[in-house]
């Protein structure tokens, strides 16, 4: 018999149909007279209940079926009386495809901590939580492509290996085939990169932006969506060493067009998940509410679905860095010395405690901050006439902080070149980027959305390591 997926059975298969299902047992219980198995095959977060009666020739097999056992069942779809589902399956034949040793299998049908599940990331897909998270992660990836495709953007694949440092942050992973035990040296004792694979020093990219700009200056509207790498030693719930970034880049867009697109996109994506993943969201909502029970009332986060709806319904606040700085400097926590990083001098970088205050306490909604001091932003951002600030924009989300960083780009060759020189950047690694400002240069803008931070926001997961299948963080590259 051909296999039918659980999702199809639960939604569409008529009562009375004979079907085969295959999947993994979530739970088994029962008595001498009847056995119940809940089965999941990944096609939906919901399980199919299977009823095995005592007169079934395979009834004896039940005692060897555990949480985690892979089975195949032939049976009849019958109306469900007890379970929450429309239908269940009355088993005719049960086969064990792959069993587990219940004493050794690390996943038990009980609540495991997320920390423990991280250590068995090869198995954590099998839990309801990760089932829901990775289904939504997929949905968001799909919705991102759909959003851009529907608006005439082209998906550009930018390189993973690069010689340039787009963000000037300096925290990059080097790519080399040199023998690290026997590194070739030049006469003056430096590493001889002419002997390396690319005959130059190369790294894993921190951003696809610079290359996306080249494409936007011909194709008009483009986006990248790929892995990016940062070797910062940040052990936080918001940082990964390997994460995925979405970077749209648009010719003829100024900073306001850029912000409008960012806001429209974020709302579209949240709405997409609300419309398409109600069961997963309901599961995650309950999970989060359960977790929050242990916290003090004032520390509890908002109901997940309420939080998502509030993002869709409310306009993001838009303020300049200088306005944000004034709000923070005059804020209660600052005056009372509650900030770890006191807000004193204009020009400081905003820390996550500051972002949190602005979003969660002051504005109580998402905030876009523009016109940051040029000293704390990347070289490519368009310089304002005040000579102090640049046309940057960061989108801050409740519970997440910075979810998007973007800007209008400096399209003036002389100004851009001066900035590259000022910062002591290696011009020879950027000649191609600079050249676009000599030939048909136009105003253009773009931004980068951290994919995992978006998934975190939508799923309510507190730690970024729990929204990517195999997290890469300092001292951790298992699996
Ligand atoms: O603000 P960032 O560094 O901006 C850029 O890379 C620009 N080139 C984007 C552009 O204008 N095309 O990073 C963009 C976003 C951040 O807002 C954050 O959401 C995410 O990427 N991000 C990280 N996510 C997880 N782990 C990290 N270590 C991250 N660093 C940045
Ligand atoms: Mg940033």
């Amino acid at each position: 018999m051909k296999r039918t997926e659980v999702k199809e059975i639960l939604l569409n298969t008529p009562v009375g149909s004979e079907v085969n299902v295959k999947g993994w047992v979530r739970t088994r219980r029962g008595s001498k007279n009847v056995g119940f198995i809940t089965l999941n095959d990944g096609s939906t977060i919901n399980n199919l209940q299977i009823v095995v009666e005592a007169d079934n020739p395979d009834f004896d097999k039940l005692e060897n079926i555990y949480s985690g056992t892979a089975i195949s069942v032939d049976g009849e779809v019958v109306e469900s009386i007890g379970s929450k589902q429309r239908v269940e399956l009355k088993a005719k034949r049960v086969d064990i495809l792959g069993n587990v040793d219940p004493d050794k299998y690390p996943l038990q049908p009980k609540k495991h901590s997320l920390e423990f599940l991280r250590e068995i990331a090869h198995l954590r897909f099998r839990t309801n939580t990760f089932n829901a998270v990775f289904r939504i992660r997929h949905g968001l990836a799909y919705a991102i492509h759909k959003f851009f495709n529907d608006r005439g953007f082209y998906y550009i694949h930018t390189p993973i290996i690069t010689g340039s440092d787009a963000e000037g942050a300096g925290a990059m992973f080097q790519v080399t085939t040199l023998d690290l035990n026997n590194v070739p040296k030049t006469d003056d004792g430096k590493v001889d990169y002419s002997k390396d694979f690319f005959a130059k020093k190369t790294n894993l990219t921190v951003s696809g932006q610079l290359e996306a700009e080249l494409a936007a200056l011909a194709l008009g509207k483009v986006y990248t969506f790929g892995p990016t790498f940062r070797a910062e030693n940040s052990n936080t719930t918001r940082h990964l060493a390997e994460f995925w970034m979405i970077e749209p880049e648009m010719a003829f867009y100024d900073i306001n067009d850029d912000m409008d697109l960012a806001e429209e996109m974020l709302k579209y994506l949240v709405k997409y998940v609300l419309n398409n993943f109600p069961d997963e969201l309901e599961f995650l909502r309950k999970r989060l509410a359960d977790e929050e029970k242990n916290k003090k009332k004032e520390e509890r986060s908002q109901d997940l679905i309420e939080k998502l709806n509030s993002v869709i319904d409310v306009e993001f606040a838009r303020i300049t860095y200088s306005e944000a700085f004034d709000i923070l400097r005059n804020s209660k926590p600052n005056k009372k010395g509650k900030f770890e990083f006191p807000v004193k001098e204009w020009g400081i970088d905003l820390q996550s405690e500051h972002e949190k205050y602005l979003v969660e306490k002051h504005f109580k909604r998402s905030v876009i901050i523009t016109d940051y001091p040029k000293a704390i932003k990347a070289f490519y951002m368009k310089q304002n006439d005040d000579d102090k600030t640049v046309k940057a924009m960061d989108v801050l989300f409740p519970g997440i902080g910075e979810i998007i960083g973007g800007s209008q780009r400096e399209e003036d060759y002389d100004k851009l070149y001066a900035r590259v020189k000022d910062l002591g950047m290696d011009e020879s690694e950027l000649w191609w980027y600079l050249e676009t400002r000599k030939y048909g240069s136009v105003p253009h803008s773009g931004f980068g959305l951290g994919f995992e931070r978006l998934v975190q926001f939508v799923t309510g997961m507190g730690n970024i390591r729990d929204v990517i299948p195999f997290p890469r963080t300092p001292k951790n590259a298992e699996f």
Side-chain angles (χ1 to χ4, degrees):
M1 213 185 300
K2 199 163 166 276
R3 180 169 82 97
T4 308
E5 292 190 341
V6 167
K7 182 180 186 178
E8 178 65 17
I9 295 175
L10 291 178
L11 289 178
N12 300 323
T13 309
V15 167
S17 309
E18 300 272 328
V19 296
N20 168 264
V21 287
K22 293 183 173 69
W24 296 270
V25 173
R26 281 291 156 82
T27 59
R28 176 181 64 77
R29 64 198 165 80
S31 63
K32 277 199 306 246
N33 307 320
V34 62
F36 298 100
I37 296 170
T38 54
L39 193 78
N40 190 283
D41 69 354
S43 58
T44 156
I45 191 171
N46 298 310
N47 301 325
L48 177 67
Q49 166 141 290
I50 296 166
V51 185
V52 191
E53 279 160 1
D55 59 0
N56 190 308
D58 290 334
F59 189 75
D60 292 345
K61 289 184 184 167
L62 288 190
E63 62 183 297
N64 288 316
I65 290 179
Y66 308 99
S67 177
T69 305
I71 61 172
S72 169
V73 182
D74 293 344
E76 184 189 341
V77 176
V78 297
E79 213 170 295
S80 172
I81 312 150
S83 86
K84 288 172 291 183
Q85 314 294 352
R86 183 183 69 96
V87 293
E88 56 194 37
L89 192 67
K90 193 172 164 210
K92 299 220 160 124
R93 179 186 169 142
V94 180
D95 290 304
I96 293 176
L97 300 177
N99 217 337
V100 299
D101 177 342
D103 297 328
K104 293 198 179 132
Y105 188 53
L107 280 178
Q108 296 300 321
K110 61 158 197 178
K111 206 172 152 69
H112 293 290
S113 76
L114 294 171
E115 290 77 14
F116 171 72
L117 292 172
R118 239 169 265 149
E119 287 166 20
I120 52 163
H122 59 308
L123 299 174
R124 68 176 180 169
F125 290 104
R126 303 173 184 208
T127 64
N128 286 327
T129 299
F130 288 95
N131 216 288
V133 167
F134 293 129
R135 207 187 301 284
I136 289 175
R137 184 180 163 107
H138 158 81
L140 281 168
Y142 170 77
I144 284 161
H145 287 300
K146 180 164 166 50
F147 175 86
F148 285 125
N149 186 63
D150 289 353
R151 285 158 185 76
F153 283 68
Y154 302 105
Y155 180 28
I156 298 293
H157 298 98
T158 49
I160 306 286
I161 300 172
T162 169
S164 63
D165 174 359
E167 295 304 307
M172 303 178 83
F173 291 101
Q174 198 172 333
V175 175
T176 181
T177 52
L178 293 178
D179 177 358
L180 295 183
N181 289 314
N182 188 14
V183 177
K185 296 276 174 70
T186 57
D187 290 341
D188 53 0
K190 300 217 171 101
V191 177
D192 184 0
Y193 285 109
S194 72
K195 303 261 166 33
D196 204 348
F197 189 90
F198 297 105
K200 64 191 273 188
K201 189 170 179 220
T202 52
N203 303 300
L204 294 177
T205 189
V206 297
S207 159
Q209 176 196 323
L210 301 192
E211 290 89 351
E213 283 187 52
L214 315 182
L217 292 173
L219 293 164
K221 292 181 304 215
V222 302
Y223 70 105
T224 72
F225 185 176
T228 46
F229 307 86
R230 299 199 181 175
E232 334 157 26
N233 195 5
S234 307
N235 252 313
T236 79
T237 56
R238 305 275 177 271
H239 288 88
L240 291 165
E242 176 179 302
F243 65 99
W244 288 66
M245 196 169 16
I246 298 99
E247 295 185 274
E249 193 68 38
M250 299 74 63
F252 314 111
Y253 272 47
D254 67 14
I255 180 94
N256 293 308
D257 302 324
D258 203 32
M259 288 191 277
D260 290 345
L261 183 74
E263 183 166 346
E264 183 194 355
M265 176 177 181
L266 288 168
K267 288 179 170 170
Y268 174 95
L269 295 173
V270 171
K271 209 180 284 176
Y272 182 87
V273 174
L274 278 166
N275 290 339
N276 291 280
F277 293 88
D279 293 350
E280 285 78 2
L281 282 182
E282 181 53 25
F283 175 84
L284 292 168
R285 186 188 73 75
K286 282 203 195 111
R287 196 199 74 83
L288 190 66
D290 242 25
E291 219 170 57
E292 301 283 299
K293 266 191 209 137
N294 306 324
K295 292 190 185 163
K296 282 192 233 141
K297 213 167 189 183
E298 56 282 8
E299 280 168 18
R300 277 181 213 161
S301 54
Q302 205 183 353
D303 176 84
L304 178 62
I305 293 174
E306 259 174 40
K307 181 188 80 174
L308 298 183
N309 276 312
S310 73
V311 163
I312 300 179
D313 294 341
V314 181
E315 240 177 75
F316 297 1
R318 296 186 185 190
I319 54 167
T320 63
Y321 169 91
S322 297
E323 287 164 341
F325 176 78
D326 284 341
I327 293 170
L328 289 166
R329 196 184 43 193
N330 297 323
S331 70
K332 245 193 220 159
N334 196 50
K335 289 184 170 160
K336 288 190 173 166
K338 291 271 163 66
F339 284 141
E340 189 186 338
F341 299 90
V343 180
K344 281 195 211 128
E345 302 271 334
W346 187 95
I348 57 156
D349 207 352
L350 299 185
Q351 303 295 328
S352 63
E353 58 179 351
H354 306 142
E355 299 177 341
K356 215 173 151 70
Y357 176 83
L358 289 170
V359 173
E360 290 163 31
K361 293 275 174 335
H362 189 85
F363 287 100
K364 297 196 169 63
R365 54 186 162 134
S366 308
V367 178
I368 311 183
I369 302 182
T370 57
D371 303 289
Y372 280 82
K374 77 175 177 187
I376 58 170
K377 289 292 182 186
F379 78 99
Y380 51 70
M381 295 192 181
K382 183 158 180 66
Q383 297 160 39
N384 281 321
D385 293 335
D386 63 10
D387 211 29
K388 273 168 40 186
T389 59
V390 287
K391 289 193 193 306
M393 68 103 177
D394 277 9
V395 182
L396 314 181
F397 256 24
I400 298 291
E402 181 191 335
I403 194 161
I404 280 181
S407 72
Q408 187 169 331
R409 318 307 189 190
E410 183 55 79
E411 84 272 19
D412 182 284
Y413 178 84
D414 295 329
K415 286 187 183 159
L416 184 63
Y417 185 77
R419 195 78 188 118
V420 166
K421 282 278 138 200
D422 271 358
L423 292 169
M425 297 176 70
D426 188 353
E427 207 186 308
S428 71
E429 290 299 347
L430 281 173
W431 64 271
W432 43 271
Y433 184 75
L434 290 163
E435 208 161 81
T436 56
R437 272 60 171 176
K438 286 189 190 163
Y439 308 131
S441 186
V442 297
H444 60 288
S445 300
F447 62 80
L449 165 63
F451 188 50
E452 284 74 19
R453 292 193 188 174
L454 173 69
V455 181
Q456 245 191 307
F457 178 75
V458 173
T459 58
M461 298 299 282
N463 194 315
I464 200 165
R465 295 167 172 87
D466 296 328
V467 298
I468 187 166
F470 302 105
R472 299 293 181 245
T473 50
K475 301 203 164 40
N476 172 35
E478 195 63 47
F479 310 106

